[in-house]
Amino acid sequence: MPNEAIAGARKVSEVLSWGLGQVQPALRAAVDGLPASVRRVAGYHLGWWDEHGEPTDAAGGKAIRPVLAQLAAEAVGGSATSALPAAVAVELVHNFTLLHDDVLDGDEIRRHRPAAWHVFGVRDAILTGDALLALAFDVLATGGHPAASDGVRTLNATVLGLVDGEQADLAFEDRHDIGVAECVAMVERKTAGLLACACALGASFAGAKPAEVAGLRDFGLHLGVAFQHVDDLLGIWGDPAVTGKPVHGDLRARKKSLPVVAALNSDTAAARELAALYQGDGHRVATEPAHAANLIEAAGGRAWSEQQAGLLLTRALHALDSINPPPRAAAELTDLATSLIHRDH
């Protein structure tokens, strides 16, 4: 039976539209309180206006993390509204990371248009990211919610993990001895941590029991690693029309992503040839990305990431089942998680 037929469960597109509709007014209100110098860059990055401040309908992201926070609240019998501070806070942190990541990686395109740093300059993009991070903690801490204090500590630990994971990811570019487990641990901090945090905060703000918070945190963590596997696959083989980034973009940037690291550790002829491309400064990978992509596939990296994404999705759904959520919330979280992993790649 289709999940949308279960207890009035909505389709994924409807859930995302609903979640974005819930969080956008609060997000705009928060950003409106920023100094004008960074508010202009933030609004551009979020897709609200162009570089001149004129309203636009540019894409501003799907609000996956806020939606997870809101659905997590419903999964423990609470209301999505109770999780709104958590939803806004995780979306602000997410956009802080995107602004900084684009600078660190030199990515010129974000959401199918020029990245903020490419339009406004590196300094303005970095400072705007800093402002969004500060704003996230302010949103979470104010309002007098009983879960706010613990929530701030949870978010702070998550941000520290994000920074540590980003540092490790960048350091991987200059290393040739990265193990698969080390790469997965980096992803758990950098990507999966914020999804886990979104779920945990949403549950906490809805008054969840500790076991429910832990179950939803595990759901988000497994989903986050699976999500990164798919992102890494798209970063190599994705369609630019879908991803908004150039084909083979991660290879041109010499990223040692999950499928790359798995391929390099496969002890195959293709792995050894791939390792030779990555030797030194990795210049050959950047200039021969199509050849590198073929080697990664031949060494099993692509198949491994696809398999891992499926296994991790199963673990995420088992964690969700462990808290015995209401049928509608369970169906909507299941469908959302499945859609995030079964993207075209």
Side-chain angles (χ1 to χ4, degrees):
M1 179 168 60
N3 271 349
E4 55 262 31
I6 298 175
R10 298 158 293 184
K11 296 179 180 179
V12 171
S13 59
E14 294 172 336
V15 170
L16 291 172
S17 178
W18 159 80
L20 188 59
Q22 293 285 313
V23 81
Q24 276 280 26
L27 185 62
R28 280 183 176 265
V31 171
D32 280 347
L34 291 174
S37 57
V38 291
R39 184 171 65 247
R40 182 169 67 107
V41 182
Y44 171 85
H45 170 75
L46 290 164
W48 299 342
W49 47 72
D50 63 18
E51 63 270 30
H52 306 296
E54 296 296 323
T56 182
D57 58 358
K62 294 181 179 179
I64 291 166
R65 291 151 191 84
V67 169
L68 285 173
Q70 293 171 88
L71 290 181
E74 295 187 341
V76 297
S79 70
T81 303
S82 66
L84 195 56
V88 173
V90 295
E91 183 67 358
L92 288 167
V93 170
H94 175 55
N95 282 283
F96 141 73
T97 67
L98 296 182
L99 282 163
H100 283 200
D101 281 356
D102 286 344
V103 171
L104 290 167
D105 297 338
D107 288 339
E108 297 183 1
I109 301 296
R110 169 65 62 186
R111 296 166 178 159
H112 304 280
R113 65 177 184 162
W117 74 267
H118 197 54
V119 175
F120 299 99
V122 168
R123 289 176 296 183
D124 283 358
I126 291 174
L127 291 171
T128 301
D130 293 342
L132 294 185
L133 179 59
L135 185 60
F137 284 100
D138 184 65
V139 167
L140 199 62
T142 56
H145 195 286
S149 180
D150 286 343
V152 167
R153 286 193 291 270
T154 297
L155 186 62
N156 186 62
T158 299
V159 171
L160 291 175
L162 285 167
V163 172
D164 188 40
E166 178 65 25
Q167 192 281 335
D169 191 23
L170 293 170
F172 285 176
E173 295 176 18
D174 300 317
R175 287 180 48 196
H176 304 291
D177 59 345
I178 307 155
V180 172
E182 184 181 8
C183 191
V184 171
M186 176 273 291
V187 169
E188 289 178 346
R189 299 191 301 276
K190 180 182 174 183
T191 302
L194 190 55
L195 272 70
C197 179
C199 294
L201 288 179
S204 294
F205 271 65
K209 299 174 183 177
E212 293 174 321
V213 174
L216 283 162
R217 182 186 291 112
D218 287 346
F219 165 76
L221 186 68
H222 294 314
L223 176 61
V225 180
F227 183 86
Q228 188 61 57
H229 274 286
V230 177
D231 254 18
D232 287 350
L233 291 165
L234 290 169
I236 299 174
W237 294 282
D239 180 354
V242 175
T243 65
K245 294 186 177 184
V247 67
H248 300 144
D250 281 2
L251 296 177
R252 295 181 194 279
R254 302 174 300 167
K255 287 287 184 183
K256 293 192 178 75
S257 59
L258 287 162
V260 172
V261 172
L264 288 168
N265 282 275
S266 66
D267 193 25
T268 62
R272 289 185 284 277
E273 187 174 351
L274 181 65
L277 291 182
Y278 270 101
Q279 285 299 317
D281 63 2
H283 175 73
R284 289 185 61 197
V285 172
T287 56
E288 302 177 45
H291 181 45
N294 290 336
L295 291 172
I296 294 165
E297 186 162 9
R302 183 174 189 172
W304 176 79
S305 267
E306 290 172 345
Q307 180 188 48
Q308 287 296 305
L311 290 172
L312 288 160
L313 174 60
T314 299
R315 291 178 191 170
L317 297 180
H318 283 164
L320 177 62
D321 288 343
S322 74
I323 70 163
N324 194 29
R328 172 173 155 164
E332 291 180 349
L333 278 168
T334 296
D335 286 348
L336 176 59
T338 302
S339 73
L340 294 176
I341 305 311
H342 291 166
R343 292 173 286 165
D344 291 335
H345 57 273

